[in-house]
């Protein structure tokens, strides 16, 4: 390759080629959040051509591309339609399940678990998709541009970290408040004493179901963002987290779930803040924050978390034992029935009236907790590698960065990428010969290869 290629040109060429190769996996987020020159959706030639190669009009990729581009508008339309139907048409017994908590115990005003909770979780998955894309596009990206962040990828990463930091701050505060005002604050025995904890306060149930919705939505996010080196570990982490939330909710281990969520969210706040400082150019403060992050990680994820897992292994069996609990819930009203014309109809759904703690449930729950710890140990190894770079004077950087961020690329690799990009340009020129307008992501998905 000629030496006239500058470092910036090589980086741009490299990023385009790698993004195009990954496009078949739909590892892109909404391009509107990261447009360099304007707030509108703009896509590189390589991305548009790769879309035309991999997506036919009937292919799943075309649908996914459409969903990625409309992360704001589609949820707004859905929520608006649901709201209109709820207030103007006689379908409140259905729509209310999406908007309100279900399965209220009349005599106490508390809530229990039930099948209608799935509607509420789905609503918040949709809501988070819209909220995340909107805040990134119209709040965090403009903020980053105002502070002289101009590179497309840096804008994207800053907005992602800002969203993560904001979400974790809100739910870490709420989760800590709930735990502080509970009997299990700094007392692991109370996590299991009096099991099963079937009846939940409205705020606690809302917090728990919305947290589940967030992690379900994170699986979607993980597959539309540009993939990192640890994509498989992150995907496994999100799946395990969702399974733990579902299992703890089903087994009435919500106290344990609350404690684990508070530990995990605290670390994410510090890490996201450190990355934001790096993108803003405050390298010294970033390195200090990274030191705080390492200390917080060790204490919360490898000391307190292990203590919780230990309690789940031994304290739960000691204080509960393998047994079944049964108590009928005759005055539980589904929110759907409460909103229907019958009004006072009682439901006899599956509401956890019979709750059993068995060896299989115990083993499966503890196993999921240990798998999560294994993933965190893998990441801790990567964190130590970053710490070594900081001590050596290289500065803190995310060891989980995208593959195209690594330095020291060979001349041969850059030459291959240049040739690949040239092929994209030639193919796109041929495709544009039959079209008068600019090709967008959706348009490209309709071009037959």
């Amino acid at each position: 390759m000629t030496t006239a290629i500058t470092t910036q040109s090589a980086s741009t060429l490299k990023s385009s080629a790698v993004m195009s190769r990954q496009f078949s996996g739909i590892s892109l987020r909404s391009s509107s959040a990261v447009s360099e020159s304007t707030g509108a959706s703009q896509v590189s030639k390589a991305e548009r051509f790769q879309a035309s190669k991999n997506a036919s009009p009937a292919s799943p990729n075309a649908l996914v591309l459409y969903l990625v581009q409309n992360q704001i508008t589609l949820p707004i339309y859905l929520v608006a339609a649901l709201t209109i139907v709820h207030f103007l048409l006689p379908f409140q017994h259905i729509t209310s399940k999406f908007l309100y908590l279900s399965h209220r115990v009349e005599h106490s005003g508390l809530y229990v678990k039930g099948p209608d909770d799935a509607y509420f979780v789905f609503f918040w998955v949709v809501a988070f998709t819209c909220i995340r894309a909107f805040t990134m596009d119209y709040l965090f990206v403009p903020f980053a541009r105002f502070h002289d962040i101009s590179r497309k990828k840096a804008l994207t990463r800053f907005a992602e970290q800002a969203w993560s930091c904001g979400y974790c701050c809100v739910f870490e505060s709420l989760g800590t408040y709930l735990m502080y005002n509970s009997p299990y604050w700094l007392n692991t025995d109370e996590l299991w004493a009096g099991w099963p904890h079937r009846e939940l306060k409205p705020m606690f149930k809302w917090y728990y179901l919305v947290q589940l919705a967030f992690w379900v939505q994170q699986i979607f996010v993980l597959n539309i963002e540009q993939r990192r080196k640890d994509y498989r570990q992150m995907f496994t982490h999100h799946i395990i987290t969702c399974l733990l939330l579902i299992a703890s909710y089903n087994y009435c281990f919500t106290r344990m779930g609350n404690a684990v969520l508070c530990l995990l969210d605290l670390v994410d706040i510090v890490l996201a803040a450190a990355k934001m400082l790096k993108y803003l150019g405050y390298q010294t403060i970033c390195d200090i924050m990274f030191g705080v992050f390492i200390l917080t990680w060790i204490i919360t994820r490898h000391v307190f978390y292990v203590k919780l897992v230990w309690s789940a292994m031994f304290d739960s069996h000691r204080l509960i034992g393998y047994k079944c609990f049964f108590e009928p819930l005759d005055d539980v009203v589904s929110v759907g029935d409460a909103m229907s014309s019958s009004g006072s109809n009682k439901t006899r759904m599956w509401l956890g009236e019979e709750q059993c703690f068995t060896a299989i449930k115990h083993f499966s729950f503890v196993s999921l907790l240990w798998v999560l710890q294994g993933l965190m140990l893998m990441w801790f190894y990567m964190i130590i590698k970053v710490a070594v770079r900081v001590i050596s004077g290289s500065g803190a950087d995310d060891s989980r960065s995208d593959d195209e961020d690594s330095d020291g690329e060979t001349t041969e690799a850059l030459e291959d990428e240049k040739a690949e990009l040239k092929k994209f340009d030639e193919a796109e020129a041929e495709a544009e010969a039959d079209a008068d307008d600019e090709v967008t992501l959706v348009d490209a998905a309709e071009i037959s290869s």
Side-chain angles (χ1 to χ4, degrees), residues 297-357:
W297 179 287
I298 294 173
I299 294 175
T300 58
R301 300 200 172 191
H302 300 305
V303 178
F304 289 157
Y305 179 84
V306 172
K307 183 178 180 181
L308 288 178
V309 179
W310 189 265
S311 179
M313 291 178 63
F314 300 105
D315 293 344
S316 60
H317 184 262
R318 173 173 59 86
L319 295 171
I320 300 176
Y322 297 144
K323 64 180 181 181
C324 288
F325 175 90
F326 179 84
E327 181 179 338
L329 291 165
D330 293 326
D331 59 347
V332 176
V333 177
S334 167
V335 66
D337 285 348
M339 293 290 182
S340 67
S341 57
S342 58
S344 61
N345 285 347
K346 304 295 179 63
T347 60
R348 297 294 299 163
M349 297 180 178
W350 171 72
L351 298 169
E353 292 183 339
E354 183 177 6
Q355 192 71 51
C356 294
F357 183 52

Side-chain angles (χ1 to χ4, degrees), residues 152-172:
K152 176 180 178 180
K153 191 170 116 178
L155 287 169
T156 304
R157 292 292 178 246
F158 179 86
E160 290 170 354
Q161 297 306 319
W163 161 253
S164 177
C165 184
Y167 171 85
C168 290
C169 283
V170 171
F171 279 84
E172 172 68 15

Side-chain angles (χ1 to χ4, degrees), residues 10 13 15-16 44 61 110 173 200 253 267 296 320-321 324 328 343 358 375 398 425 433:
L13 174 64
S15 176
S16 299
S44 69
N61 284 358
L110 303 178
S173 301
L200 306 174
F253 293 158
V267 177
T296 306
I320 300 176
C324 288
T358 64
L375 289 172
D398 186 6
D425 290 334

Side-chain angles (χ1 to χ4, degrees), residues 237 259-260 262-268 292-310 369-384:
H237 170 271
V260 171
C262 286
L263 289 180
L264 302 186
D265 287 346
L266 180 61
V267 177
D268 290 338
V292 175
F293 160 71
I294 294 178
L295 182 62
T296 306
W297 179 287
I298 294 173
I299 294 175
T300 58
R301 300 200 172 191
H302 300 305
V303 178
F304 289 157
Y305 179 84
V306 172
K307 183 178 180 181
L308 288 178
V309 179
W310 189 265
L369 292 170
W370 278 121
V371 170
L372 192 58
Q373 175 65 193
L375 289 172
M376 292 188 290
L377 285 172
M378 292 175 59
W379 281 319
F380 184 62
Y381 169 74
M382 299 167 72
I383 292 169
I384 294 302

Side-chain angles (χ1 to χ4, degrees), residues 139-151 153-159 161-162 165 271-287 289 396-397:
L139 180 61
F140 300 133
V141 167
F143 178 86
R145 285 201 181 101
F146 180 78
H147 288 82
D148 299 326
I149 299 177
S150 58
R151 290 191 305 113
K153 191 170 116 178
L155 287 169
T156 304
R157 292 292 178 246
F158 179 86
Q161 297 306 319
C165 184
L271 177 60
K275 290 183 178 181
M276 291 169 64
L277 289 170
K278 179 177 179 61
Y279 287 119
L280 291 173
Y282 301 107
Q283 186 62 51
T284 301
I285 304 178
C286 169
D287 291 343
M289 184 65 73
D397 198 1

